[in-house]
Amino acid sequence: MKIAIGADHAGFQLKTAIVQYLQERGYEFQDFGVFSSESVDYPDQAALIAKAVAGGDFDQGIIICGTGIGVSIAANKIPGIRAALCHDVFSARMARAHNNSNVLALGARVVGPGLAETIVVAYLEAEFAGGRHQLRVDKISKLEE
Ligand code: RB5
């Protein structure tokens, strides 16, 4: 699984913690920045990650801003992206299992690094359940036409 990860300035520190986690666990990933706390606009970072995933070079994206709301709204504007804002483990599992999400959005001002890491583990280890859920995900894709 190839993962694209990115953040705005508000998510920079949490991204650093998650990058370290991904490294320690041997995940294949690319860090799209930012690499400092200097202010940037979250739609730019969300678009980078969303386009990397939608383009097919990455299987999953992780995108972080202050609340996770801005980046999830922006990422979901890119065709083919199903970004899920998850601040609990159950939602993280269900986003993959039922919605076949391909971007996890997190809010660095909402969850601390410990919970964020648990959410990331749950998200990356979950699998799409298919079946009736495939039909529903197909209906989401049709909304892009
Ligand atoms: C930046 O201050 C903040 O607005 C941004 O990180 C995010 O929370 C937007 O949704």
Side-chain angles (χ1 to χ4, degrees):
M1 181 196 292
K2 286 181 72 179
I3 302 162
I5 185 166
D8 76 351
H9 55 286
F12 163 63
Q13 280 194 337
L14 181 59
K15 177 175 68 64
T16 304
I18 293 174
V19 159
Q20 190 180 335
Y21 158 77
L22 294 175
Q23 252 159 3
E24 285 167 5
R25 292 341 185 250
Y27 280 103
E28 193 180 349
F29 69 94
Q30 186 174 325
D31 186 349
F32 285 77
V34 297
F35 300 103
S36 80
S37 296
E38 193 179 327
S39 185
V40 296
D41 298 327
Y42 63 83
D44 296 334
Q45 287 306 107
L48 270 184
I49 300 304
K51 286 177 182 174
V53 174
D57 289 338
F58 295 87
D59 305 297
Q60 285 291 331
I62 300 174
I63 184 75
I64 308 160
C65 68
T67 60
I69 296 169
V71 288
S72 60
I73 291 172
N76 276 315
K77 298 290 183 192
I78 305 299
I81 291 303
R82 291 176 298 280
L85 174 56
C86 301
H87 287 140
D88 65 273
V89 168
F90 179 74
S91 300
R93 282 201 199 106
M94 287 302 109
R96 292 289 305 282
H98 284 195
N99 311 115
N100 200 15
S101 59
N102 49 14
V103 172
L104 169 66
L106 288 167
R109 294 172 179 159
V110 183
V111 289
L115 177 55
E117 182 177 316
T118 311
I119 289 167
V120 169
V121 174
Y123 184 84
L124 294 178
E125 289 184 353
E127 284 179 16
F128 182 46
R132 69 185 187 280
H133 302 294
Q134 182 63 62
L135 179 78
R136 294 162 184 168
V137 170
D138 289 345
K139 288 192 174 189
I140 293 175
S141 300
K142 280 208 158 50
L143 295 174
E144 293 174 351
E145 289 171 7

